[in-house]
Amino acid sequence: MPRYLARRLGQAVLVVAGVVVLTFAIMRLVPGDPAVAFAGPKATPEELAAARLRFGLDDAIPVQLWNYVRDLVTGDWGTSLRTRQPVRDDLLLAFPASLELVGTALLIAIAVGIPVGVLAARYKTKFPDFGVRVVSMLAVSVPVFWLALTLQTVFASNLGWFPVAGEYDSVLDTTSPLTLWTNITIVDALITGNWPIFTSTLEHLVLPALVVAAYPAGVIAQMTRAALIEESGQEHARLERALGFGETSILTRFALRPALNPVLSLIALVFAYAIVNGFLVEAVFNWPGLGRYAVESIHSLDTPAIAGVTLLVAMVYVLANLVVDVLQGVVDPRARAR
């Protein structure tokens, strides 16, 4: 296990290093002059020269890359050209909201996808299996923005069951101010016992979380079904049938654990996809996360902020895969040999 962990950690470091170099290259290839964006279109030559000196734009490319990597390691992710604040501070404010949304969506997707996949495998080629495959196909295929607008129109605007947009009722900032600990609103409200904001956040979270959860739930259900059907055809499953175990018992007691190996790998992939896919959902529901921050940064050609978002998402993706690799090594010792 230690060698397995060291190998996976080394691969993760190499991937992050490649992303850092790629992000630096993209920053230099994006049209526009960061000095002009920072100093303004009416800046004097002296102000532009000061801006270029501040960002090291006149240095040689290898020197700029070295300075960029050094700053990242020391926690300096640059200064946003739009907010004039450190990019790291902006991301620390925006990312928790995205994590709150995506984390809730993934919990929903796992809680729905795995049991539904087991149900489909148990009744393979029968009506429940057909229904699961049709619904999961629709969940995977439907455009996320269309689903977001539809749920918002039906359940928020027409029926009034849920709020239309936002993270929670802004009036509560005055009547029930929240003490921040983690910057994840629902967690902080739970820790501090701020039930008005906790309840309001839950109400605002339902619709966007369901939209983000649709694709992962469909994919997880399909993968769980396929893995269980394959696992139930192995030698051990035939032996268990010969010993008198029923199909449900074989699937849940013996086949599910090894079948979770590919499902865990899939969860890491859909986690990163859900963060990026959530950008559109955040725009529709005015959710104050990375999506809104990224859109505003793109509109203003804020290259340090765009690079920061790109690097953060890549690091989260690598970390998610690393966690899944560790879980795979624990769930299935055969994975350690790969």
Side-chain angles (χ1 to χ4, degrees), residues 4-20 22-23 95 264-265 267-273 275-276 309-328:
Y4 173 77
L5 292 177
R7 188 166 62 249
R8 288 293 184 264
L9 184 59
Q11 293 173 353
V13 171
L14 287 177
V15 172
V16 171
V19 171
V20 168
L22 183 61
T23 303
F95 181 63
L264 287 174
S265 297
I267 290 174
L269 293 174
V270 297
F271 176 68
Y273 177 83
I275 290 179
V276 178
V309 172
T310 304
L311 185 59
L312 178 61
V313 172
M315 292 177 65
V316 169
Y317 174 76
V318 170
L319 180 61
N321 275 276
L322 183 61
V323 171
V324 167
D325 285 341
V326 173
L327 291 177
Q328 283 180 326

Side-chain angles (χ1 to χ4, degrees), residues 100 162-178 185-186 189 194-206 285-288:
E100 178 181 51
F162 300 100
V164 175
E167 189 177 14
Y168 59 88
D169 190 347
S170 59
V171 175
L172 296 175
D173 286 330
T174 302
T175 59
S176 301
L178 179 64
T185 301
I186 197 167
N194 193 325
W195 304 119
I197 286 187
F198 180 80
T199 304
S200 180
T201 303
L202 279 180
E203 293 173 349
H204 284 75
L205 192 57
V206 171
F285 287 95
N286 195 29
W287 194 264

Side-chain angles (χ1 to χ4, degrees), residues 38-90:
F38 182 82
K42 297 182 180 180
T44 63
E46 292 76 14
E47 292 172 335
L48 288 177
R52 295 188 67 83
L53 178 64
R54 174 176 180 175
F55 292 107
L57 298 177
D58 293 329
D59 295 334
I61 294 298
V63 175
Q64 292 186 41
L65 176 59
W66 167 255
N67 292 335
Y68 179 65
V69 174
R70 182 197 60 197
D71 291 342
L72 288 178
V73 172
T74 58
D76 183 2
W77 287 35
T79 301
S80 170
L81 304 179
R82 178 177 58 87
T83 66
R84 305 300 174 94
Q85 299 295 322
V87 172
R88 186 187 64 176
D89 293 348
D90 287 345

Side-chain angles (χ1 to χ4, degrees), residues 37-308:
F38 182 82
K42 297 182 180 180
T44 63
E46 292 76 14
E47 292 172 335
L48 288 177
R52 295 188 67 83
L53 178 64
R54 174 176 180 175
F55 292 107
L57 298 177
D58 293 329
D59 295 334
I61 294 298
V63 175
Q64 292 186 41
L65 176 59
W66 167 255
N67 292 335
Y68 179 65
V69 174
R70 182 197 60 197
D71 291 342
L72 288 178
V73 172
T74 58
D76 183 2
W77 287 35
T79 301
S80 170
L81 304 179
R82 178 177 58 87
T83 66
R84 305 300 174 94
Q85 299 295 322
V87 172
R88 186 187 64 176
D89 293 348
D90 287 345
L91 294 178
L92 288 176
L93 290 176
F95 181 63
S98 293
L99 188 62
E100 178 181 51
L101 174 60
V102 174
T104 303
L106 272 187
L107 288 177
I108 295 173
I110 293 170
V112 173
I114 292 179
V116 165
V118 173
L119 177 67
R122 172 63 182 85
Y123 296 98
K124 181 180 62 173
T125 71
K126 296 181 180 179
F127 179 75
D129 181 27
F130 175 76
V132 168
R133 283 188 289 170
V134 170
V135 173
S136 62
M137 186 183 303
L138 290 175
V140 170
S141 304
V142 64
V144 64
F145 64 88
W146 180 87
L147 182 60
L149 291 172
T150 300
L151 293 186
Q152 190 180 60
T153 301
V154 174
F155 294 103
S157 300
N158 294 342
L159 297 177
W161 290 359
F162 300 100
V164 175
E167 189 177 14
Y168 59 88
D169 190 347
S170 59
V171 175
L172 296 175
D173 286 330
T174 302
T175 59
S176 301
L178 179 64
T179 302
L180 298 178
W181 291 82
T182 65
N183 282 332
I184 302 177
T185 301
I186 197 167
V187 174
D188 291 340
L190 183 62
I191 292 174
T192 59
N194 193 325
W195 304 119
I197 286 187
F198 180 80
T199 304
S200 180
T201 303
L202 279 180
E203 293 173 349
H204 284 75
L205 192 57
V206 171
L207 292 184
L210 288 176
V211 175
V212 177
Y215 178 87
V219 175
I220 290 172
Q222 292 177 357
M223 178 60 76
T224 303
R225 173 189 178 274
L228 279 175
I229 290 175
E230 180 180 356
E231 197 65 32
S232 63
Q234 301 297 322
E235 289 291 339
H236 70 85
R238 287 194 284 270
L239 176 60
E240 290 145 10
R241 291 188 186 93
L243 292 174
F245 289 99
E247 287 298 319
T248 302
S249 181
I250 292 173
L251 288 176
T252 56
R253 293 180 57 185
F254 303 107
L256 183 58
R257 180 171 176 176
L260 285 179
N261 205 358
V263 176
L264 287 174
S265 297
L266 181 67
I267 290 174
L269 293 174
V270 297
F271 176 68
Y273 177 83
I275 290 179
V276 178
N277 206 30
F279 286 9
L280 291 174
V281 179
E282 289 181 9
V284 173
F285 287 95
N286 195 29
W287 194 264
L290 279 180
R292 190 169 71 182
Y293 181 74
V295 169
E296 292 172 351
S297 300
I298 292 172
H299 284 167
S300 58
L301 290 178
D302 189 350
T303 51
I306 297 171

